[in-house]
Amino acid sequence: MTLNTASHILSAHDVTSLDNTLADLDLAGRLAFIAGLGGRAVFTTSLGIEDQVITAAIGTHRLPVEVATLETGRLFTETVNLISETEERYDIAIKRFYPAQDDIDAYAAKFGLNGFYDSVEARHACCHVRKLVPLVKALEGASFWVTGLRRRQSGNRAATPFAEYDAERNLIKINPLADWDIDVINAHVIAENIPVNPLHARGYPSIGCEPCTRAIKPGETERAGRWWWENDEKRECGLHVAEAPQASSISAASQQS
């Protein structure tokens, strides 16, 4: 299979072929295959348990996949500490991407620093400033974006493929753990002695910014603790599902001021 990764000119057949190829490989094989296609591959990690599995594979097999994280400024201390621990463990560099202070100030002026609790619009705007704008920088010039998305994380992600074309960012999105469930991940972490966020053991299966994440209750889905005050069961931050259109107004306004 040949992909025109330099110009990102991709057909539906290309992506389908890639998806089928990855389905027959193990995790290391999937990552190695992508790394061998040419073009820049970037893995964005939130330091969650599935992301740690991917980082461990990249580091252990010395794969040419860049590892980046969005340091939002509101992460749990445990998450921040895990970045350095992971770098040391696998002898890799995790590049941090931060929100612009002007964007944060513009957001606070409009909504208040913690205004994300007040409306979905305000929450999307906060995610835009602290995650989506830094993500653009992290993926600049990339041909492949590797993520830790899994089908069983939520109903909203149930159809996650191994490979898909991201039209918004004009690259191929790779989800090498799409078919892994949490039991397989937990067993792999134990077998490989992979360092994980201690918050997982305290009832946090999905970990984002500290003000927006709580432990889940018995019987709740993995992502029920994210933005728990909202009623929409399909709530997302906009990284993997299109955000509300008004969210982009904050960064645009700050850039014009």
Side-chain angles (χ1 to χ4, degrees):
M1 177 177 57
T2 301
L3 296 176
N4 191 339
T5 57
S7 63
H8 298 157
I9 299 174
L10 305 168
S11 69
H13 175 75
D14 287 330
V15 178
T16 299
S17 177
L18 179 57
D19 187 71
N20 291 336
T21 298
L22 296 179
D24 293 330
L25 302 175
D26 61 11
L27 173 60
R30 290 167 182 171
L31 292 169
F33 188 87
I34 293 304
L37 287 176
R40 180 168 167 247
V42 178
F43 168 49
T44 54
T45 174
S46 65
L47 286 296
I49 191 167
E50 47 272 295
D51 288 349
Q52 287 298 93
V53 167
I54 295 175
T55 300
I58 292 171
T60 300
H61 297 279
R62 314 309 301 170
L63 298 173
V65 177
E66 298 177 30
V67 183
T69 192
L70 308 180
E71 225 292 26
T72 66
R74 305 298 295 266
L75 299 180
F76 286 89
T77 299
E78 290 87 344
T79 303
V80 175
N81 291 341
L82 186 57
I83 299 174
S84 299
E85 180 184 352
T86 304
E87 288 181 313
E88 183 176 352
R89 171 67 181 278
Y90 296 106
D91 189 27
I92 61 174
I94 299 176
K95 189 170 183 180
R96 285 81 155 167
F97 289 85
Y98 300 88
Q101 189 60 49
D102 285 350
D103 286 351
I104 293 174
D105 292 343
Y107 175 86
K110 182 173 182 178
F111 297 105
L113 188 60
N114 294 327
F116 44 80
Y117 291 124
D118 298 331
S119 70
V120 174
E121 176 193 1
R123 202 268 292 171
H124 276 291
C126 186
C127 290
H128 182 87
V129 166
R130 294 184 182 272
K131 292 184 176 183
L132 270 72
V133 175
L135 178 68
V136 171
K137 298 177 181 178
L139 296 179
E140 186 175 1
S143 298
F144 300 99
W145 174 22
V146 180
T147 86
L149 289 180
R150 296 187 294 109
R151 295 166 187 160
R152 296 192 180 183
Q153 285 172 325
S154 68
N156 206 35
R157 300 181 176 186
T160 298
F162 297 110
E164 57 187 315
Y165 179 59
D166 187 324
E168 180 181 355
R169 300 173 180 91
N170 196 30
L171 46 65
I172 306 177
K173 190 174 181 180
I174 303 298
N175 310 305
L177 293 180
D179 58 344
W180 287 44
D181 64 30
I182 192 61
D183 291 336
V184 173
I185 286 176
N186 286 332
H188 185 80
V189 164
I190 293 172
E192 299 294 326
N193 192 28
I194 297 172
V196 298
N197 197 318
L199 291 172
H200 289 312
R202 302 176 205 163
Y204 292 78
S206 179
I207 305 168
C209 292
E210 184 172 9
C212 300
T213 310
R214 66 158 172 80
I216 65 171
K217 302 172 184 177
E220 288 187 319
T221 61
E222 290 182 37
R223 289 177 59 81
R226 305 292 296 276
W227 312 291
W228 71 91
W229 63 91
E230 295 180 12
N231 294 323
D232 183 4
E233 290 301 319
K234 294 185 177 181
R235 52 191 178 267
E236 294 273 355
C237 65
L239 290 180
H240 303 294
V241 177
E243 62 172 337
Q246 62 265 37
S248 61
S249 62
I250 296 296
S251 59
S254 66
Q255 291 166 7
Q256 294 171 3
S257 62

